[in-house]
């Protein structure tokens, strides 16, 4: 059985993810066989790049893209994939994508499996396909997904989330999670052996640690509360002091309870959680760039007990502080060799 697969193009789509999806799915049953002198198989995925109007367009990276067809053209898709889309996560959903969201919802109602990569999950949210379901997206778009579509259960740490009856909605995290999504879909429709072959051909390693090891924890909602903005500027320099929340409240002239409510309304985080986030983000920088011991890093960012720091770090980042250091400091020799 051949899976009719539509990959949605858009002027907001990136180039690399879009064409990586097209290339990898087209290679299933072909490239492994070619490398091993075996007969080429019947294609598992009949893949086409489609847009709402079918017209050539210039993508977000300045590349002229010529689609294969309109979204509405036959055949009906069995599988639809939305790649990463480039728009401001602090702004509203782009209205020019609304017709595509409507088409996506109708395709799903007719039986198509719908999948997204990175910020493409926002389009699935606009189509109403994520309501009441778990979903993931790039960590930089997680707040937007939850804000625009409050019925979505955002799993910001997950790389891949199949959801709904029959797992007919699948979301993948950051842009490079396209590879995890491809392996999942290939295993689902062509079998685990074929997925392993493709992983070997393209040297793909699944992101088993999740995406929080890549996230900037301090990315968050924008607001216009000047008093809270001033408190954030101050605490960015003083987060390592004892009782910083009480100090922020005192500087604001408010009671701690009142300050707490106002801070959370503006930022989406309680003051204590916000300070923990600042501390962990600074710790990440120290672990990436210095040889300072983990206990010393703990003290430098304001933790009196190293065990509390280790627990907080693992909770927010998803791996231990020592594993995080090993992961990111491994890049240093590569950079030196390139310099």
């Amino acid at each position: 059985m051949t899976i009719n697969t539509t990959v949605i193009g858009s002027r907001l789509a990136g180039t690399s993810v879009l064409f990586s999806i097209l290339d990898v799915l087209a290679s299933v049953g072909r490239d492994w066989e070619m490398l091993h002198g075996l007969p080429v198989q019947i294609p598992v995925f009949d893949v086409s790049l489609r847009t709402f109007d079918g017209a050539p367009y210039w993508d977000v990276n300045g590349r002229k893209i010529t689609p294969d067809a309109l979204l509405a053209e036959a055949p009906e898709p069995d599988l639809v994939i939305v790649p990463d889309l480039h728009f401001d996560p602090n702004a509203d959903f782009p209205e020019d994508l609304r017709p595509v969201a409507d088409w996506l919802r109708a395709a799903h109602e007719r039986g198509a499996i719908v999948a997204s990569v990175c910020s493409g999950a926002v389009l699935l949210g606009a189509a109403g396909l994520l309501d009441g379901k778990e979903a993931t997206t790039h960590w930089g778009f997680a707040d937007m997904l939850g804000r625009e579509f409050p019925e979505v259960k955002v799993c910001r740490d997950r790389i891949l989330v199949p959801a709904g009856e029959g797992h007919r909605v699948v979301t993948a995290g950051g842009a490079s999670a396209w590879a995890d999504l491809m392996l999942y879909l290939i295993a689902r429709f062509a079998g685990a052996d074929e997925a392993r072959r493709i992983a070997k051909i393209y040297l793909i390693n699944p992101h088993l640690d999740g995406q929080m090891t890549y996230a900037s924890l301090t990315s968050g909602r924008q607001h216009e509360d000047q008093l809270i903005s001033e408190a954030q500027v101050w605490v960015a320099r003083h987060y390592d002091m004892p009782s910083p929340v009480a100090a922020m409240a005192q500087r604001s002239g408010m009671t701690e309870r009142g300050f707490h409510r106002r801070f959370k309304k503006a930022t989406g985080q309680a003051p204590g959680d916000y300070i923990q986030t600042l501390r962990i983000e600074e710790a990440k920088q120290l672990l990436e760039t210095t040889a300072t011991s983990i206990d010393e890093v703990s003290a430098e960012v304001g933790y009196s007990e190293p065990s509390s720091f280790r627990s907080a770090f693992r909770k927010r980042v998803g791996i231990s502080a020592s594993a995080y250091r090993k992961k990111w400091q491994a890049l240093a020799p590569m950079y030196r060799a390139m310099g």
Side-chain angles (χ1 to χ4, degrees), residues 239-250:
Y239 58 81
D240 56 342
M241 68 178 291
S243 304
V245 174
M248 279 196 294
Q250 185 177 19

Side-chain angles (χ1 to χ4, degrees), residues 26 118 151 243 276 295 299 333:
C118 191
E151 294 185 34
S243 304
Q276 289 263 50
D295 285 1

Side-chain angles (χ1 to χ4, degrees), residues 10-11 13 15 18-19 49 55-67:
S10 165
R11 64 178 182 80
T15 311
L18 189 70
F19 282 92
L49 171 62
Y57 66 91
W58 296 91
D59 75 6
V60 70
N61 294 320
R63 300 288 182 267
K64 187 177 182 179
I65 309 297
T66 302

Side-chain angles (χ1 to χ4, degrees), residues 73-332:
E73 286 186 41
E76 288 281 350
D78 303 304
L79 171 64
V80 181
I81 302 173
V82 181
D84 58 319
L85 300 171
H86 291 244
F87 51 81
D88 184 354
N90 299 303
D92 296 331
F93 176 75
E95 285 302 313
D96 58 349
L97 289 176
R98 193 69 63 182
V100 181
D102 294 340
W103 178 89
L104 198 60
R105 180 174 59 253
H108 184 262
E109 289 172 352
R110 290 191 295 267
I113 294 168
V114 177
S116 66
V117 177
C118 191
S119 53
V122 177
L123 185 58
L124 272 62
L129 300 182
L130 302 181
D131 289 352
K133 298 182 180 71
E134 291 186 338
T136 189
T137 185
H138 186 279
W139 53 264
F141 286 82
D143 285 345
M144 180 187 187
L145 187 63
R147 180 184 72 244
E148 293 281 320
F149 313 107
E151 294 185 34
V152 180
K153 302 171 185 175
V154 182
C155 305
R156 63 179 63 229
D157 59 325
R158 302 266 295 276
I159 286 290
L160 198 68
V161 179
E165 184 177 356
H167 287 173
R168 290 180 52 235
V169 177
V170 187
T171 52
S176 66
W178 70 267
D180 300 83
L181 177 63
M182 292 303 98
L183 295 182
Y184 169 83
L185 292 172
I186 292 166
R188 180 168 173 171
F189 292 110
D193 286 345
E194 190 63 45
R196 280 190 284 270
R197 292 182 189 119
I198 293 298
K200 291 175 181 178
I201 291 171
Y202 286 91
L203 309 185
I204 294 173
N205 285 314
H207 295 89
L208 300 178
D209 292 331
Q211 65 171 319
M212 293 314 291
T213 56
Y214 303 90
S216 171
L217 301 178
T218 52
S219 69
R221 71 171 68 176
Q222 303 297 308
H223 63 84
E224 297 179 357
D225 190 323
Q226 185 62 32
L227 183 145
I228 298 303
S229 293
E230 291 173 359
Q232 288 177 281
V233 170
W234 180 84
V235 80
R237 302 190 187 100
H238 301 91
Y239 58 81
D240 56 342
M241 68 178 291
S243 304
V245 174
M248 279 196 294
Q250 185 177 19
R251 286 175 55 83
S252 73
M254 301 177 67
T255 64
E256 273 198 54
R257 187 173 182 181
F259 178 80
H260 184 283
R261 284 197 300 267
R262 185 163 170 177
F263 191 98
K264 188 168 185 179
K265 181 179 179 181
T267 68
Q269 285 185 289
D273 289 338
Y274 183 82
I275 289 164
Q276 289 263 50
T277 296
L278 290 177
R279 288 173 169 173
I280 296 300
E281 193 64 30
E282 177 61 21
K284 286 166 63 179
Q285 298 301 314
L286 292 171
L287 292 168
E288 290 173 22
T289 59
T290 75
T292 305
S293 74
I294 291 174
D295 285 1
E296 289 175 320
V297 168
S298 167
E300 190 164 334
V301 299
Y303 287 88
S304 57
E305 294 292 336
S307 59
S308 297
F309 165 72
R310 292 171 189 270
S311 175
F313 191 94
R314 180 179 285 275
K315 180 180 178 180
R316 282 168 169 76
V317 182
I319 58 176
S320 69
S322 57
Y324 184 88
R325 164 171 275 166
K326 183 177 180 181
K327 179 184 183 73
W328 289 106
Q329 288 205 350
L331 295 177

